[in-house]
Amino acid sequence: MAADETRDGVALTNLDQPLFDGAEATKRDLVDYLDAVSDRILPVLRGRALSVIRVRPGQPPFMQKNLPKYAPDWVRSVTMWADSSRRQVTYALCDDRRTLLWFANQRAVEFHPALFVGDQPTHLILDLDPPENPPEDSPENPREHDGSFSLAVRGAFLVRQALADCGLAGAVKTSGAKGVHVFVPVTEGTAPDDLAAATRALAARAERLDPALATTAFIREDREGKVFLDSTRAGGATVAAAYSPRIRPGVPVSFPVAWADLDRVSPRDFTLRTAPGLLERADPWAEHMPAPQRLPVDLVEEGHTIPIARVQAMHEGKRRARARRAE
């Protein structure tokens, strides 16, 4: 296939094709965006096993974990065990501009790096997922405002308070959808099971600060219109990287925000078109990220007493299914 353009030795094709339905952007716009912010996004991808979400013309988006056999030999890779698929997976490592451009040409829109570098976890992460539809009588539900996002912001402030109460600090970013991600960098040598336990305990402490607003209920029907404090982003899980585009109308971008500004922004403020201008002289993710911190012993100990959400939900789902069959 003839290239429309070549950058850093990467042949770029079909650049004027629509990116996806509702994107209001072309493949060229994706390539230009990732190239423009490469100095910002590469540091959060480098050295981490990478999953991407690609979108081909006329097909639904799909997540790609295995590096395709047709990938150029200069794309670095790492082979790791994937808990979700119970097999060895050869992941790409997106360590340089050339690899980033190759992924852009593959129509990789979303970038989901591992939360480990090698076998070392680097961050405690809470993913705040607001309800689909805030209550009609909620002050966060005016039609002109991002009601769901506003609830996620309120949940994020609970997490910030819970962190402060145990001497920790984190950075926050929009998810690029309707939620918020809170990242807490941890010191080298943090055991993965202790990190997962501390994440569960932090979510529980934030929930206790305002149980009318937030919940740790993993089963969706049990959330009762509250913000879900998802503590399962540990181990083999991923979240969209800072500066990653999302496959949503208008192509929003997961974007770092100062805590002081979080309740003043909307996810729609940060898109493939607007983000490069905001990053010309700044790298807010690096600037807002605290230094690595040691997890408090009491937080870890509390977390080890809390059941793992997915396992608990699986057993509860089976119990409810048995109860329905017995009716």
Side-chain angles (χ1 to χ4, degrees):
M1 184 179 297
D4 295 349
E5 187 180 332
T6 300
R7 299 187 201 180
D8 205 1
V10 178
L12 304 171
T13 58
N14 298 317
L15 293 177
D16 294 326
Q17 285 186 350
L19 188 55
F20 55 85
D21 289 345
E24 299 178 359
T26 63
K27 181 178 171 182
R28 183 186 300 277
D29 293 323
L30 173 68
V31 170
D32 287 347
Y33 168 77
L34 290 171
D35 202 10
V37 305
S38 60
D39 288 346
R40 303 292 185 257
I41 195 170
L42 283 173
V44 301
L45 301 179
R46 189 171 289 123
R48 297 176 185 269
L50 181 65
S51 301
V52 295
I53 300 183
R54 297 172 56 193
V55 56
R56 291 172 172 160
Q59 299 181 23
F62 64 97
M63 177 167 278
Q64 175 181 291
K65 295 185 177 184
N66 260 311
L67 181 65
K69 294 185 183 301
Y70 58 78
D73 57 11
W74 42 259
V75 176
R76 295 182 60 222
S77 64
V78 60
T79 300
M80 298 172 58
W81 179 258
D83 286 335
S84 59
S85 53
R86 308 298 298 173
R87 62 189 175 95
Q88 295 285 340
V89 173
T90 298
Y91 293 91
L93 296 173
C94 190
D95 291 349
D96 51 44
R97 176 180 179 243
R98 181 164 61 162
T99 303
L100 186 65
L101 288 170
W102 180 78
F103 270 115
N105 193 59
Q106 295 291 304
R107 305 176 73 100
V109 179
E110 298 193 12
F111 291 75
H112 293 245
L115 307 179
F116 284 68
V117 173
D119 60 357
Q120 176 61 49
T122 57
H123 296 83
L124 179 158
I125 296 170
L126 279 180
D127 180 2
L128 281 67
D129 187 18
E132 290 291 336
N133 299 299
E136 289 294 328
D137 58 353
S138 168
E140 285 73 31
N141 198 38
R143 292 292 181 261
E144 70 276 8
H145 192 64
D146 294 288
S148 291
F149 180 73
S150 180
L151 288 174
V153 167
R154 289 175 56 197
F157 285 130
L158 294 181
V159 173
R160 188 189 191 196
Q161 183 61 56
L163 286 169
D165 289 346
C166 58
L168 297 173
V172 64
K173 65 184 181 73
T174 67
S175 69
K178 63 184 188 301
V180 172
H181 297 153
V182 178
F183 275 58
V184 181
V186 296
T187 53
E188 187 174 353
T190 299
D193 59 339
D194 287 345
L195 179 73
T199 309
R200 294 193 296 272
L202 180 65
R205 292 183 182 189
E207 178 185 27
R208 290 197 295 267
L209 290 173
D210 190 347
L213 170 67
T215 180
T216 56
F218 190 80
I219 300 175
R220 189 177 296 274
E221 64 193 53
D222 293 344
R223 296 177 192 168
E224 301 175 336
K226 301 175 186 177
V227 178
F228 175 43
L229 308 180
D230 186 355
S231 63
T232 65
R233 303 299 178 175
T238 65
V239 295
Y243 310 122
S244 171
R246 304 301 303 272
I247 302 175
R248 301 285 192 280
V251 201
V253 170
S254 180
F255 204 86
V257 181
W259 282 105
D261 296 329
L262 188 58
D263 58 359
R264 305 173 188 170
V265 302
S266 161
R268 294 172 293 183
D269 296 337
F270 312 109
T271 70
L272 175 146
R273 299 188 189 282
T274 63
L278 300 172
L279 298 173
E280 286 181 353
R281 297 179 178 84
D283 183 354
W285 196 228
E287 293 162 9
H288 298 161
M289 190 65 67
Q293 299 149 88
R294 188 176 301 278
L295 296 173
V297 172
D298 66 310
L299 189 71
V300 174
E301 290 179 345
E302 179 183 342
H304 279 299
T305 70
I306 299 172
I308 298 172
R310 292 184 187 276
V311 175
Q312 184 183 38
M314 178 185 67
H315 291 307
E316 178 61 16
K318 291 180 178 178
R319 186 196 67 79
R320 294 182 187 185
R322 288 194 300 267
R324 285 193 295 269
R325 289 195 297 269
E327 291 176 351

PDB file of all heavy atoms in Angstrom, residues 18-40:
ATOM      1  N   PRO A  18     -11.997   8.753   7.942  1.00  0.00           N
ATOM      2  CA  PRO A  18     -12.559   9.053   9.271  1.00  0.00           C
ATOM      3  C   PRO A  18     -11.986   8.103  10.307  1.00  0.00           C
ATOM      4  O   PRO A  18     -11.761   6.919  10.032  1.00  0.00           O
ATOM      5  CB  PRO A  18     -14.067   8.831   9.067  1.00  0.00           C
ATOM      6  CG  PRO A  18     -14.292   8.977   7.595  1.00  0.00           C
ATOM      7  CD  PRO A  18     -13.039   8.462   6.936  1.00  0.00           C
ATOM      8  N   LEU A  19     -11.762   8.609  11.502  1.00  0.00           N
ATOM      9  CA  LEU A  19     -11.159   7.787  12.553  1.00  0.00           C
ATOM     10  C   LEU A  19     -12.149   6.740  13.045  1.00  0.00           C
ATOM     11  O   LEU A  19     -11.832   5.557  13.144  1.00  0.00           O
ATOM     12  CB  LEU A  19     -10.679   8.674  13.695  1.00  0.00           C
ATOM     13  CG  LEU A  19      -9.851   7.995  14.778  1.00  0.00           C
ATOM     14  CD1 LEU A  19      -8.648   7.283  14.193  1.00  0.00           C
ATOM     15  CD2 LEU A  19      -9.399   9.024  15.821  1.00  0.00           C
ATOM     16  N   PHE A  20     -13.351   7.159  13.405  1.00  0.00           N
ATOM     17  CA  PHE A  20     -14.454   6.261  13.761  1.00  0.00           C
ATOM     18  C   PHE A  20     -15.723   7.095  13.774  1.00  0.00           C
ATOM     19  O   PHE A  20     -15.682   8.331  13.761  1.00  0.00           O
ATOM     20  CB  PHE A  20     -14.228   5.562  15.118  1.00  0.00           C
ATOM     21  CG  PHE A  20     -13.981   6.488  16.280  1.00  0.00           C
ATOM     22  CD1 PHE A  20     -15.032   7.058  16.984  1.00  0.00           C
ATOM     23  CD2 PHE A  20     -12.685   6.777  16.691  1.00  0.00           C
ATOM     24  CE1 PHE A  20     -14.815   7.901  18.051  1.00  0.00           C
ATOM     25  CE2 PHE A  20     -12.452   7.623  17.770  1.00  0.00           C
ATOM     26  CZ  PHE A  20     -13.517   8.184  18.448  1.00  0.00           C
ATOM     27  N   ASP A  21     -16.856   6.445  13.778  1.00  0.00           N
ATOM     28  CA  ASP A  21     -18.134   7.152  13.767  1.00  0.00           C
ATOM     29  C   ASP A  21     -18.248   8.035  15.013  1.00  0.00           C
ATOM     30  O   ASP A  21     -18.072   7.565  16.137  1.00  0.00           O
ATOM     31  CB  ASP A  21     -19.302   6.163  13.741  1.00  0.00           C
ATOM     32  CG  ASP A  21     -19.435   5.450  12.409  1.00  0.00           C
ATOM     33  OD1 ASP A  21     -18.828   5.914  11.429  1.00  0.00           O
ATOM     34  OD2 ASP A  21     -20.139   4.413  12.352  1.00  0.00           O
ATOM     35  N   GLY A  22     -18.556   9.318  14.791  1.00  0.00           N
ATOM     36  CA  GLY A  22     -18.712  10.247  15.899  1.00  0.00           C
ATOM     37  C   GLY A  22     -17.428  10.927  16.326  1.00  0.00           C
ATOM     38  O   GLY A  22     -17.450  11.815  17.179  1.00  0.00           O
ATOM     39  N   ALA A  23     -16.297  10.521  15.744  1.00  0.00           N
ATOM     40  CA  ALA A  23     -15.015  11.108  16.154  1.00  0.00           C
ATOM     41  C   ALA A  23     -14.891  12.559  15.713  1.00  0.00           C
ATOM     42  O   ALA A  23     -14.241  13.362  16.390  1.00  0.00           O
ATOM     43  CB  ALA A  23     -13.859  10.309  15.568  1.00  0.00           C
ATOM     44  N   GLU A  24     -15.484  12.888  14.572  1.00  0.00           N
ATOM     45  CA  GLU A  24     -15.287  14.203  13.961  1.00  0.00           C
ATOM     46  C   GLU A  24     -13.798  14.473  13.775  1.00  0.00           C
ATOM     47  O   GLU A  24     -13.310  15.576  13.990  1.00  0.00           O
ATOM     48  CB  GLU A  24     -15.953  15.300  14.794  1.00  0.00           C
ATOM     49  CG  GLU A  24     -17.461  15.118  14.937  1.00  0.00           C
ATOM     50  CD  GLU A  24     -18.111  16.178  15.807  1.00  0.00           C
ATOM     51  OE1 GLU A  24     -17.374  17.041  16.316  1.00  0.00           O
ATOM     52  OE2 GLU A  24     -19.331  16.125  15.967  1.00  0.00           O
ATOM     53  N   ALA A  25     -13.075  13.415  13.415  1.00  0.00           N
ATOM     54  CA  ALA A  25     -11.631  13.489  13.239  1.00  0.00           C
ATOM     55  C   ALA A  25     -11.211  12.403  12.263  1.00  0.00           C
ATOM     56  O   ALA A  25     -11.919  11.410  12.062  1.00  0.00           O
ATOM     57  CB  ALA A  25     -10.910  13.300  14.575  1.00  0.00           C
ATOM     58  N   THR A  26     -10.058  12.585  11.658  1.00  0.00           N
ATOM     59  CA  THR A  26      -9.515  11.620  10.717  1.00  0.00           C
ATOM     60  C   THR A  26      -8.342  10.872  11.349  1.00  0.00           C
ATOM     61  O   THR A  26      -7.853  11.229  12.429  1.00  0.00           O
ATOM     62  CB  THR A  26      -9.012  12.318   9.445  1.00  0.00           C
ATOM     63  OG1 THR A  26      -7.918  13.198   9.813  1.00  0.00           O
ATOM     64  CG2 THR A  26     -10.122  13.128   8.782  1.00  0.00           C
ATOM     65  N   LYS A  27      -7.895   9.852  10.632  1.00  0.00           N
ATOM     66  CA  LYS A  27      -6.702   9.138  11.091  1.00  0.00           C
ATOM     67  C   LYS A  27      -5.508  10.089  11.153  1.00  0.00           C
ATOM     68  O   LYS A  27      -4.662   9.982  12.051  1.00  0.00           O
ATOM     69  CB  LYS A  27      -6.420   7.965  10.148  1.00  0.00           C
ATOM     70  CG  LYS A  27      -5.223   7.129  10.542  1.00  0.00           C
ATOM     71  CD  LYS A  27      -5.036   5.971   9.581  1.00  0.00           C
ATOM     72  CE  LYS A  27      -3.733   5.247   9.826  1.00  0.00           C
ATOM     73  NZ  LYS A  27      -3.507   4.144   8.861  1.00  0.00           N
ATOM     74  N   ARG A  28      -5.436  11.044  10.245  1.00  0.00           N
ATOM     75  CA  ARG A  28      -4.354  12.034  10.279  1.00  0.00           C
ATOM     76  C   ARG A  28      -4.379  12.820  11.590  1.00  0.00           C
ATOM     77  O   ARG A  28      -3.332  13.116  12.173  1.00  0.00           O
ATOM     78  CB  ARG A  28      -4.462  12.991   9.092  1.00  0.00           C
ATOM     79  CG  ARG A  28      -3.322  14.019   9.032  1.00  0.00           C
ATOM     80  CD  ARG A  28      -3.557  15.035   7.916  1.00  0.00           C
ATOM     81  NE  ARG A  28      -3.648  14.395   6.610  1.00  0.00           N
ATOM     82  CZ  ARG A  28      -2.588  14.065   5.873  1.00  0.00           C
ATOM     83  NH1 ARG A  28      -1.368  14.305   6.330  1.00  0.00           N
ATOM     84  NH2 ARG A  28      -2.763  13.510   4.698  1.00  0.00           N
ATOM     85  N   ASP A  29      -5.579  13.173  12.044  1.00  0.00           N
ATOM     86  CA  ASP A  29      -5.690  13.908  13.303  1.00  0.00           C
ATOM     87  C   ASP A  29      -5.116  13.088  14.463  1.00  0.00           C
ATOM     88  O   ASP A  29      -4.468  13.633  15.355  1.00  0.00           O
ATOM     89  CB  ASP A  29      -7.150  14.260  13.592  1.00  0.00           C
ATOM     90  CG  ASP A  29      -7.719  15.257  12.603  1.00  0.00           C
ATOM     91  OD1 ASP A  29      -6.977  16.174  12.189  1.00  0.00           O
ATOM     92  OD2 ASP A  29      -8.899  15.126  12.245  1.00  0.00           O
ATOM     93  N   LEU A  30      -5.373  11.765  14.471  1.00  0.00           N
ATOM     94  CA  LEU A  30      -4.819  10.907  15.514  1.00  0.00           C
ATOM     95  C   LEU A  30      -3.291  10.892  15.435  1.00  0.00           C
ATOM     96  O   LEU A  30      -2.601  11.046  16.459  1.00  0.00           O
ATOM     97  CB  LEU A  30      -5.358   9.485  15.370  1.00  0.00           C
ATOM     98  CG  LEU A  30      -4.729   8.450  16.311  1.00  0.00           C
ATOM     99  CD1 LEU A  30      -5.131   8.723  17.755  1.00  0.00           C
ATOM    100  CD2 LEU A  30      -5.128   7.033  15.892  1.00  0.00           C
ATOM    101  N   VAL A  31      -2.762  10.697  14.224  1.00  0.00           N
ATOM    102  CA  VAL A  31      -1.309  10.657  14.043  1.00  0.00           C
ATOM    103  C   VAL A  31      -0.692  11.981  14.477  1.00  0.00           C
ATOM    104  O   VAL A  31       0.311  12.006  15.217  1.00  0.00           O
ATOM    105  CB  VAL A  31      -0.962  10.342  12.574  1.00  0.00           C
ATOM    106  CG1 VAL A  31       0.536  10.532  12.326  1.00  0.00           C
ATOM    107  CG2 VAL A  31      -1.387   8.925  12.213  1.00  0.00           C
ATOM    108  N   ASP A  32      -1.281  13.094  14.039  1.00  0.00           N
ATOM    109  CA  ASP A  32      -0.739  14.412  14.386  1.00  0.00           C
ATOM    110  C   ASP A  32      -0.777  14.639  15.892  1.00  0.00           C
ATOM    111  O   ASP A  32       0.158  15.199  16.474  1.00  0.00           O
ATOM    112  CB  ASP A  32      -1.526  15.510  13.680  1.00  0.00           C
ATOM    113  CG  ASP A  32      -1.235  15.590  12.189  1.00  0.00           C
ATOM    114  OD1 ASP A  32      -0.251  14.965  11.740  1.00  0.00           O
ATOM    115  OD2 ASP A  32      -2.003  16.270  11.477  1.00  0.00           O
ATOM    116  N   TYR A  33      -1.868  14.209  16.542  1.00  0.00           N
ATOM    117  CA  TYR A  33      -1.972  14.402  17.988  1.00  0.00           C
ATOM    118  C   TYR A  33      -0.885  13.622  18.720  1.00  0.00           C
ATOM    119  O   TYR A  33      -0.155  14.175  19.554  1.00  0.00           O
ATOM    120  CB  TYR A  33      -3.352  13.972  18.497  1.00  0.00           C
ATOM    121  CG  TYR A  33      -3.381  13.889  20.010  1.00  0.00           C
ATOM    122  CD1 TYR A  33      -3.455  15.043  20.780  1.00  0.00           C
ATOM    123  CD2 TYR A  33      -3.264  12.658  20.673  1.00  0.00           C
ATOM    124  CE1 TYR A  33      -3.424  14.983  22.169  1.00  0.00           C
ATOM    125  CE2 TYR A  33      -3.239  12.587  22.054  1.00  0.00           C
ATOM    126  CZ  TYR A  33      -3.321  13.750  22.803  1.00  0.00           C
ATOM    127  OH  TYR A  33      -3.268  13.698  24.166  1.00  0.00           O
ATOM    128  N   LEU A  34      -0.780  12.327  18.425  1.00  0.00           N
ATOM    129  CA  LEU A  34       0.197  11.508  19.142  1.00  0.00           C
ATOM    130  C   LEU A  34       1.616  11.980  18.873  1.00  0.00           C
ATOM    131  O   LEU A  34       2.478  11.939  19.765  1.00  0.00           O
ATOM    132  CB  LEU A  34       0.022  10.038  18.762  1.00  0.00           C
ATOM    133  CG  LEU A  34      -1.256   9.388  19.298  1.00  0.00           C
ATOM    134  CD1 LEU A  34      -1.457   8.009  18.686  1.00  0.00           C
ATOM    135  CD2 LEU A  34      -1.226   9.285  20.827  1.00  0.00           C
ATOM    136  N   ASP A  35       1.873  12.445  17.662  1.00  0.00           N
ATOM    137  CA  ASP A  35       3.199  12.975  17.349  1.00  0.00           C
ATOM    138  C   ASP A  35       3.458  14.258  18.139  1.00  0.00           C
ATOM    139  O   ASP A  35       4.545  14.456  18.701  1.00  0.00           O
ATOM    140  CB  ASP A  35       3.300  13.233  15.850  1.00  0.00           C
ATOM    141  CG  ASP A  35       4.739  13.257  15.355  1.00  0.00           C
ATOM    142  OD1 ASP A  35       5.649  12.889  16.126  1.00  0.00           O
ATOM    143  OD2 ASP A  35       4.950  13.640  14.185  1.00  0.00           O
ATOM    144  N   ALA A  36       2.438  15.107  18.227  1.00  0.00           N
ATOM    145  CA  ALA A  36       2.606  16.383  18.936  1.00  0.00           C
ATOM    146  C   ALA A  36       2.854  16.197  20.421  1.00  0.00           C
ATOM    147  O   ALA A  36       3.595  16.973  21.041  1.00  0.00           O
ATOM    148  CB  ALA A  36       1.374  17.267  18.714  1.00  0.00           C
ATOM    149  N   VAL A  37       2.240  15.167  21.025  1.00  0.00           N
ATOM    150  CA  VAL A  37       2.369  14.977  22.478  1.00  0.00           C
ATOM    151  C   VAL A  37       3.305  13.815  22.808  1.00  0.00           C
ATOM    152  O   VAL A  37       3.316  13.333  23.948  1.00  0.00           O
ATOM    153  CB  VAL A  37       0.994  14.761  23.144  1.00  0.00           C
ATOM    154  CG1 VAL A  37       0.047  15.906  22.813  1.00  0.00           C
ATOM    155  CG2 VAL A  37       0.369  13.415  22.758  1.00  0.00           C
ATOM    156  N   SER A  38       4.109  13.372  21.849  1.00  0.00           N
ATOM    157  CA  SER A  38       4.955  12.201  22.084  1.00  0.00           C
ATOM    158  C   SER A  38       5.891  12.393  23.276  1.00  0.00           C
ATOM    159  O   SER A  38       6.132  11.453  24.039  1.00  0.00           O
ATOM    160  CB  SER A  38       5.759  11.855  20.825  1.00  0.00           C
ATOM    161  OG  SER A  38       6.601  12.932  20.441  1.00  0.00           O
ATOM    162  N   ASP A  39       6.408  13.608  23.464  1.00  0.00           N
ATOM    163  CA  ASP A  39       7.301  13.851  24.600  1.00  0.00           C
ATOM    164  C   ASP A  39       6.576  13.758  25.936  1.00  0.00           C
ATOM    165  O   ASP A  39       7.220  13.618  26.979  1.00  0.00           O
ATOM    166  CB  ASP A  39       7.938  15.239  24.493  1.00  0.00           C
ATOM    167  CG  ASP A  39       8.981  15.317  23.387  1.00  0.00           C
ATOM    168  OD1 ASP A  39       9.385  14.245  22.891  1.00  0.00           O
ATOM    169  OD2 ASP A  39       9.368  16.436  23.018  1.00  0.00           O
ATOM    170  N   ARG A  40       5.248  13.851  25.923  1.00  0.00           N
ATOM    171  CA  ARG A  40       4.466  13.760  27.154  1.00  0.00           C
ATOM    172  C   ARG A  40       3.953  12.345  27.405  1.00  0.00           C
ATOM    173  O   ARG A  40       3.984  11.855  28.531  1.00  0.00           O
ATOM    174  CB  ARG A  40       3.264  14.717  27.077  1.00  0.00           C
ATOM    175  CG  ARG A  40       3.640  16.167  26.818  1.00  0.00           C
ATOM    176  CD  ARG A  40       4.385  16.783  27.989  1.00  0.00           C
ATOM    177  NE  ARG A  40       4.643  18.197  27.786  1.00  0.00           N
ATOM    178  CZ  ARG A  40       5.816  18.706  27.430  1.00  0.00           C
ATOM    179  NH1 ARG A  40       6.855  17.883  27.224  1.00  0.00           N
ATOM    180  NH2 ARG A  40       5.984  20.002  27.291  1.00  0.00           N
TER     181      ARG A  40
END
